[in-house]
Amino acid sequence: MTNYEAGVDPQIDDRATVGYAYTEDGRPTQLGEGARIRSGTIIYQDVRIGDDFITGHRALVREATEIGDSVIVGTDTVIDGTTTIGSHVSLQTGVYVPTDTTIGDNVFLGPRAVLTNDPYPVRRDVDLVGPTIEDGVSVGANATILPDVTIGHDSFVAAGAVITEDVPPETLAVGTPADHQPLPDTLAAENMLR
């Protein structure tokens, strides 16, 4: 059963599920205008999404997630719920976003980037806290961002980097664990996602 409210002109493939019922008292999913939801995608109840939202195939958006305008959620990307995502955001193929994560505006997460929220997986009982990705951040393919880390505005995380501590604004983070370097002039431009 699906349960959603949509703005003008939604395009939802037959094999997509919007408003997946995970509880009896869940609120309908809210989609803004111009949504394009591809086959295999599942969007739970209690999700609010702005205008011009696009998914690839087999994307998953779990409950209690808020997403702004002009957001792309790529094929096989998972947003595990209780998450806030701003506007003009691109989550490429296979990105993983855990619960309790905050992503700002004009953010790019490259293919297979992984965000985490559990510092001691199944070893200790701790509060789960996802990372905070501030406005204007770019994250390269296969980067890993550990729990409760903040990536400062307009920073650039290189492909394959492992982020174990906060990254200051306008910084290049590269390596494993990531080393912080001044942002080169060639990367100082604003993300072109708007």
Side-chain angles (χ1 to χ4, degrees), residues 9-13 34-39 52-57:
D9 197 27
Q11 298 177 47
I12 302 171
D13 288 356
R36 175 68 176 105
I37 313 297
R38 291 189 170 83
S39 66
D52 302 316
F53 177 71
I54 299 172
T55 73
H57 299 277

Side-chain angles (χ1 to χ4, degrees), residues 15-151:
R15 290 182 287 168
T17 302
V18 179
Y20 178 82
Y22 72 99
T23 182
E24 287 184 19
D25 59 350
R27 293 170 305 189
T29 298
Q30 295 181 343
L31 291 175
E33 295 184 8
R36 175 68 176 105
I37 313 297
R38 291 189 170 83
S39 66
T41 294
I42 300 172
I43 301 173
Y44 276 52
Q45 292 174 326
D46 293 323
V47 171
R48 293 178 49 188
I49 299 171
D51 296 339
D52 302 316
F53 177 71
I54 299 172
T55 73
H57 299 277
R58 300 176 307 279
L60 175 64
V61 181
R62 297 274 316 259
E63 69 277 2
T65 294
E66 302 232 357
I67 298 174
D69 297 330
S70 300
V71 173
I72 298 170
V73 176
T75 296
D76 294 326
T77 290
V78 174
I79 301 168
D80 249 344
T82 318
T83 289
T84 302
I85 298 173
S87 295
H88 307 286
V89 173
S90 180
L91 308 178
Q92 295 291 293
T93 297
V95 169
Y96 178 70
V97 179
T99 59
D100 301 310
T101 294
T102 301
I103 298 173
D105 296 331
N106 204 30
V107 170
F108 176 85
L109 295 180
R112 307 283 178 219
V114 174
L115 286 58
T116 64
N117 67 354
D118 190 346
Y120 309 105
V122 302
R123 293 291 173 109
R124 293 166 84 187
D125 187 18
V126 296
D127 291 333
L128 302 179
V129 181
T132 297
I133 312 297
E134 293 184 348
D135 295 350
V137 170
S138 286
V139 176
N142 293 308
T144 300
I145 301 173
L146 295 187
D148 201 18
V149 167
T150 296
I151 309 296

